[in-house]
Each structure stands twice: as C-alpha cells, then as structure tokens.
Amino acid sequence: MASIGTSGAISGVLGLSAVLFGHRQITLVPLSGRYANVQSMPVFGLLPLWISIEFIQFMVYSGSQVNYLMHIFGLLLGAVLAMFLKRAQWGPDMNLLNETPCCLNADEKLIRATEYLDQKAFNEALSVLRQLYRDNCRSRDFLSVYYQSAKACPDRPDVHRVARAIFSLPERDTKTVDLIIQTYRDYVMLSEPGPRFNERVLYQLADLFVQRELCSELDKIMLLMRKRGAACLFNSNLPYRYAKLLDQQGRTSESLEYLRSIN
C-alpha cells in the first residue's frame, strides 16, 4: 500500500505540473543520436509518454494492476486539483508560477534602462541591467535591451555574457529565434577581441541553424566545431543533419566530404 500511495502522489504532482506549467520548457539530459536530438520539451509533452507507459504495463502485467490504475487516477486528480486552484485563485498569485524568477521592480528598472539606452547613456543603462542580470532576469525583452546596451561597449565582458544568455534561450517562437539570429550576426562582427563560444553554445546555434536552413551561418559554426573536435560531432546526429541539408542545397560533394572528414 505504501508503494501505491507514493507513486500515486508522484503521478498527481505530474498532473498538477502539466496544468500549471504546461508550456514551460524543461531541460532534459540531452537525448542525442543519429535519429533524435532532444534538448528540452514543454512539461505537458511528458504526459503522452507517461500515460502510454502506464497503459502498456496495465495491459501486459499479469500480476496486480491496482498500482497502474492508481497512477492514472493520481495523474487525473492532480490535473483536476490544479485547474480548480487556478479557477478559484486560492493561495498566492498563480501567475507568479509562470514567470521566470526575477528581482523586485524589474519592469520599472527595465523601463529606466531603456530610457538610458534611448539617451545613449550606455554606462547608466549597463549599471541597471547588470543588477537585473545578477538578480536572475533572463526574459527575452530584458536580454534584448541588455545586448543593445552592451554592444555599444564591445570591449567589455557584458557583450559576451548577454550574447551567451540569448543563445541559450530555450523558446523557439519567431521573435526569440529572430533575436538569436540577429544577435549572432552582430556578435561575431562587433565583439572584441572576438567572439567567445563554448561547445554547448556552438551546439545550440548549430541545432537552430540546421532547423532554419541558414547555411551561411551554419557552415562557419560546423567548421569551428570540427577544428575544436567538439564531442557533439561524434555523439549526436548533428553531422548527419548538416550533411543532409548540404545535399538538399545541391552541395552533395561537400556533404560526402564532410562526413568523411569526421569519421
């Protein structure tokens, strides 16, 4: 009975999380291979996998099936409870659950920093923005203002710091992707003494550029990764996706040559 209670409660937490945080991206242990490449997924994306596993076990397990019924019941109960709490607005403001942790008065400070930026008072803007960054502000709008201020002083560490944060944004909506691409193009040209990419950032950029078929940018990233002997070229499906894109672009000989060069 203890096992039923514990696993049923965990299922309930999963159902509650799916309702409260359904669209929030969660970072996964990278599942990379030739045919898959998963870095993050929305919380509700776990539900089909969870339910499928429970249903299969319920159908094929020859012993007691009460455990699996309790898992499904716990999941549904957690989801119903979360919907009730959101509708009733009990407890603290539920909207806070969908926000990135940030400092107090972040909106006011961001407005003030934007005003400094419009006045070309970059030092004052950066002073405010650094504090927001230290307080864990990582929203797209904040990072956009921070980068616009930082690139006016490309010799300072700010431009590298905020560029890495932008490249690591997990969302893939149009505005976020546009910000990542434009920041990359600016960063490689303006940063002093030059851009600083670690392997994780290189992989994130390459993954995005493959998806968007941005061959000009992707060629440079893949070349840099090969020169560094990046591990993700050997334990992910990224090289095959890149080679496939080259082939689709009519660059078949380059595609074959690239695959030979990393094998």
Side-chain angles (χ1 to χ4, degrees):
M1 294 300 293
S3 64
I4 295 176
T6 302
S7 56
I10 294 173
S11 300
V13 171
L14 180 59
L16 186 142
S17 300
V19 173
L20 296 182
F21 310 103
H23 294 282
R24 179 176 292 186
Q25 293 284 328
I26 55 174
T27 302
L28 306 174
V29 176
L31 304 175
S32 298
R34 182 167 184 175
Y35 301 107
N37 179 30
V38 180
Q39 298 293 313
S40 64
M41 67 186 306
V43 173
F44 66 78
L46 295 174
L47 291 184
L49 176 62
W50 177 273
I51 294 173
S52 297
I53 292 174
E54 295 300 323
F55 181 75
I56 291 172
Q57 292 184 107
F58 175 78
M59 295 298 294
V60 304
Y61 187 57
S62 58
S64 174
Q65 297 173 316
V66 175
N67 284 355
Y68 306 116
L69 288 175
M70 291 302 297
H71 295 171
I72 297 173
F73 176 75
L75 181 74
L76 296 175
L77 182 61
V80 170
L81 178 61
M83 288 188 287
F84 177 74
L85 290 175
K86 290 183 71 173
R87 181 176 294 273
Q89 296 184 343
W90 284 6
D93 184 2
M94 300 300 287
N95 289 328
L96 295 176
L97 297 172
N98 295 318
E99 296 177 357
T100 301
C102 194
C103 65
L104 295 175
N105 303 319
D107 291 340
E108 296 178 9
K109 294 178 180 179
L110 185 57
I111 290 173
R112 186 162 74 250
T114 303
E115 292 173 349
Y116 284 138
L117 177 60
D118 293 338
Q119 298 166 9
K120 300 188 185 304
F122 301 116
N123 288 331
E124 290 80 358
L126 287 173
S127 178
V128 175
L129 294 165
R130 287 181 192 124
Q131 182 60 54
L132 287 171
Y133 188 88
R134 285 193 292 270
D135 290 334
N136 203 34
C137 290
R138 296 294 188 275
S139 70
R140 182 189 65 224
D141 292 340
F142 161 72
L143 292 175
S144 178
V145 173
Y146 192 4
Y147 182 75
Q148 293 303 315
S149 301
K151 75 175 187 177
C153 309
D155 58 329
R156 299 184 183 180
D158 297 88
V159 71
H160 304 289
R161 180 186 305 123
V162 67
R164 286 195 298 269
I166 290 174
F167 299 149
S168 299
L169 286 171
E171 294 81 10
R172 285 297 179 264
D173 58 278
T174 301
K175 289 185 178 179
T176 302
V177 170
D178 289 345
L179 174 62
I180 293 173
I181 294 172
Q182 187 57 53
T183 300
Y184 169 79
R185 291 170 176 168
D186 284 342
Y187 178 64
V188 295
M189 295 180 60
L190 298 176
S191 58
E192 296 180 5
R196 301 172 187 172
F197 296 117
N198 58 35
E199 184 173 323
R200 179 178 61 83
V201 168
L202 286 173
Y203 181 87
Q204 291 170 332
L205 289 171
D207 181 63
L208 176 62
F209 294 161
V210 167
Q211 293 177 23
R212 299 288 164 158
E213 300 184 359
L214 299 174
C215 287
S216 178
E217 290 81 3
L218 183 59
D219 289 342
K220 298 173 184 177
I221 292 290
M222 297 301 290
L223 178 60
L224 181 57
M225 293 174 75
R226 187 173 65 178
K227 287 181 176 179
R228 293 187 180 183
C232 58
L233 293 180
F234 308 99
N235 61 15
S236 78
N237 67 340
L238 182 60
Y240 302 98
R241 295 165 63 205
Y242 175 53
K244 181 179 179 180
L245 179 59
L246 290 177
D247 186 49
Q248 291 173 345
Q249 298 290 329
R251 300 165 60 184
T252 304
S253 59
E254 293 179 57
S255 171
L256 296 174
E257 178 59 30
Y258 180 79
L259 291 177
R260 283 195 292 266
S261 71
I262 62 171
N263 290 329

